[in-house]
Amino acid sequence: MGAIDWSKSPKPSNATISFSFEWAMKNLSSGIHPTLPMKQTLKHQGDRLEEWDFSLSTVVSSSANAAVSDALGSIEFDPSNTVVATGGIARKIRIYSLNSLLPEDNIQLLTRGEQNDTAFLDHVNACSFYICTPAKLSSLRWRPGSGGRLLGSGDYDGVVMEYDLERKLPVFERDEHGGRRVWSVDYSHWDPFVGASGSDDGTMQMWDPRCGGEGGECVAKVQPAAARSSVCCVEFSPFGDSLIALGCADRMAYAYDVRKMVEPLHVLEGHTKTVTYVRFVDAQTMVSAGTDGCLKLWNMSDCGLIRTCKGHVNSRSFVGLSVWRHGGLLGCGSENNQVFVYDKRWDEPICARGLEPMARPGFDHAFVSSVCWRQVQEDHCTLLAGGSDGVLQVFVGTKIS
């Protein structure tokens, strides 16, 4: 998702929104949180003491001659969790196999709890292939049920596109947001043909390519805030129900029943600045992230706030948010160029790790701009983090009981 500059905290009644057109962040706050050790003892759970050990496995960067603007705004694993797609300012969708990002020797060492040597790769060699796009990308999402073949995108020109990765060609295009930036796209899990997009025009639109003309028919459209505050994130519930959640620049998160979009089912109020991300943790819980530097967990049955998580730095940019549902871990970036991991049971981070700095001009204040967990049911996990400097880094965590 693209860099965003909220020069002032938007107000629900007359929000004034200012977006930067590049990812590089200026006038970054000098308040830097200390790095917590990546191997950190957690709290007691009965007689068990749990601990996570995270290691940096791989760093993927561009050559010294690469374009400066190569920020990674979106990272997504395919449904098989063996292929990774990235997109951002460089106007490229890059496709990687997990095997290229996680060398087999590193995997074996990490699963045995042994130290590994970090692998340093170049995007050109690590990438299986790439597709050039007509605009800067803010969001990517794989379409469920397509066997990892179809990938949707939202871009800075306000267009939603869908790419056939076997043919390496766009097969669907929708331009219904009046040229205003599309911040987020997602697909329904109960009907994978139905998609949704959230935009700077203040609307969330649901569409079905099987209906209407070439760009599909808009089957629902909502404007959550009367002031047309930007819809920064959309996500359908992946648990088989009919919910879709939105994060909005009016400081609110919303949940709608897609069968009745007249008014929101839930309005979640608690953030003091823009809500940049919403993610479903489980069938009863949702997490939201804001430029107030907070993650908030919500009980969806009664809209109750479960807890507020603090530790990362986020005052003006999209820094990424991802949930590893099997392990109950939340990952997010930070404007001090660190990756933070929270356990959904506690309000403080269990670990944080600074991204390896790359010696590239113009990135004195690089920050983490996207994160993504691999959704596997194991006692080790994989977290990918992308930076505003275009560097992709792979962390592997091992659970020690």
Side-chain angles (χ1 to χ4, degrees):
M1 189 171 288
I4 185 170
D5 179 0
W6 305 106
S7 56
K8 295 182 179 180
S9 179
K11 299 179 182 180
S13 58
N14 55 354
T16 300
I17 303 167
S18 172
F19 297 97
S20 65
F21 284 88
E22 295 295 340
W23 292 67
M25 190 171 56
K26 299 178 181 179
N27 302 319
L28 188 65
S29 170
S30 61
I32 303 297
H33 287 227
T35 301
L36 298 173
M38 282 302 279
K39 183 173 182 180
Q40 173 156 337
T41 302
L42 305 186
K43 301 180 180 181
H44 283 279
Q45 185 180 21
D47 293 328
R48 293 183 61 194
L49 185 65
E50 296 177 323
E51 148 179 297
W52 282 96
D53 186 8
F54 281 81
S55 297
L56 176 61
S57 173
T58 309
V59 176
V60 188
S61 60
S62 297
S63 64
N65 296 324
V68 172
S69 295
D70 195 17
L72 299 177
S74 185
I75 306 172
E76 291 289 329
F77 275 99
D78 80 327
S80 71
N81 283 287
T82 60
V83 176
V84 176
T86 69
I89 293 296
R91 304 188 186 196
K92 290 181 181 178
I93 296 174
R94 293 190 178 104
I95 304 297
Y96 306 82
S97 71
L98 185 63
N99 290 338
S100 71
L101 297 177
L102 276 178
E104 186 63 31
D105 291 344
N106 280 8
I107 296 176
Q108 292 176 358
L109 287 171
L110 291 167
T111 53
R112 293 200 302 263
E114 300 177 24
Q115 185 63 40
N116 71 303
D117 292 326
T118 301
F120 289 87
L121 308 174
D122 187 274
H123 283 298
V124 174
N125 299 322
C127 175
S128 300
F129 64 90
Y130 67 86
I131 300 172
C132 292
T133 63
K136 302 169 186 176
L137 299 177
S138 55
S139 179
L140 296 174
R141 196 56 67 97
W142 299 85
R143 196 173 91 178
S146 70
R149 178 172 179 170
L150 299 178
L151 181 68
S153 70
D155 69 29
Y156 278 41
D157 288 347
V159 178
V160 173
M161 300 188 74
E162 194 172 274
Y163 292 86
D164 184 321
L165 298 186
E166 289 187 4
R167 299 163 58 194
K168 301 181 178 64
L169 293 172
V171 293
F172 174 78
E173 181 175 336
R174 188 169 194 277
D175 185 4
E176 300 295 333
H177 286 285
R180 303 295 296 277
R181 196 173 305 184
V182 171
W183 289 116
S184 180
V185 295
D186 195 22
Y187 291 99
S188 167
H189 293 262
W190 50 268
D191 186 348
F193 283 96
V194 175
S197 52
S199 170
D200 191 19
D201 69 356
T203 71
M204 184 280 292
Q205 299 185 24
M206 287 176 52
W207 31 266
D208 188 336
R210 298 168 297 186
C211 307
E214 185 176 328
E217 179 179 336
C218 182
V219 295
K221 179 178 179 179
V222 296
Q223 179 187 316
R228 299 190 72 89
S229 300
S230 292
V231 177
C232 299
C233 185
V234 299
E235 181 165 278
F236 287 95
S237 170
F239 299 103
D241 54 35
S242 56
L243 286 181
I244 183 170
L246 318 178
C248 200
D250 67 349
R251 311 177 189 177
M252 309 289 188
Y254 300 86
Y256 289 84
D257 186 325
V258 299
R259 300 167 299 182
K260 186 180 180 182
M261 301 285 287
V262 177
E263 58 184 18
L265 189 64
H266 303 301
V267 178
L268 307 175
E269 182 177 1
H271 285 281
T272 59
K273 294 178 70 176
T274 296
V275 177
T276 48
Y277 298 95
V278 286
R279 297 285 184 260
F280 287 91
V281 179
D282 52 47
Q284 293 80 38
T285 313
M286 193 181 82
V287 60
S288 59
T291 53
D292 55 2
C294 297
L295 306 183
K296 291 184 179 290
L297 277 84
W298 307 90
N299 186 324
M300 297 305 290
S301 62
D302 61 6
C303 299
L305 178 63
I306 299 171
R307 65 181 48 85
T308 298
C309 303
K310 294 183 179 181
H312 62 288
V313 180
N314 186 198
S315 63
R316 57 192 294 171
S317 302
F318 287 102
V319 295
L321 176 66
S322 184
V323 178
W324 181 37
R325 296 188 178 97
H326 172 71
L329 298 183
L330 315 174
C332 69
S334 180
E335 290 168 3
N336 60 9
N337 210 31
Q338 290 183 313
V339 179
F340 280 73
V341 177
Y342 295 87
D343 188 302
K344 69 177 184 180
R345 297 169 293 179
W346 302 304
D347 56 9
E348 296 181 353
I350 61 172
C351 57
R353 176 69 178 267
L355 264 62
E356 290 293 318
M358 296 290 107
R360 296 182 60 193
F363 287 100
D364 296 334
H365 297 298
F367 62 96
V368 179
S369 51
S370 54
V371 294
C372 186
W373 290 101
R374 185 180 182 218
Q375 299 296 330
V376 290
Q377 296 188 3
E378 301 172 352
D379 283 338
H380 63 272
C381 56
T382 305
L383 178 63
L384 274 61
S388 61
D389 56 0
V391 178
L392 178 66
Q393 306 203 26
V394 184
F395 298 92
V396 175
T398 303
K399 187 176 183 180
I400 304 170
S401 299

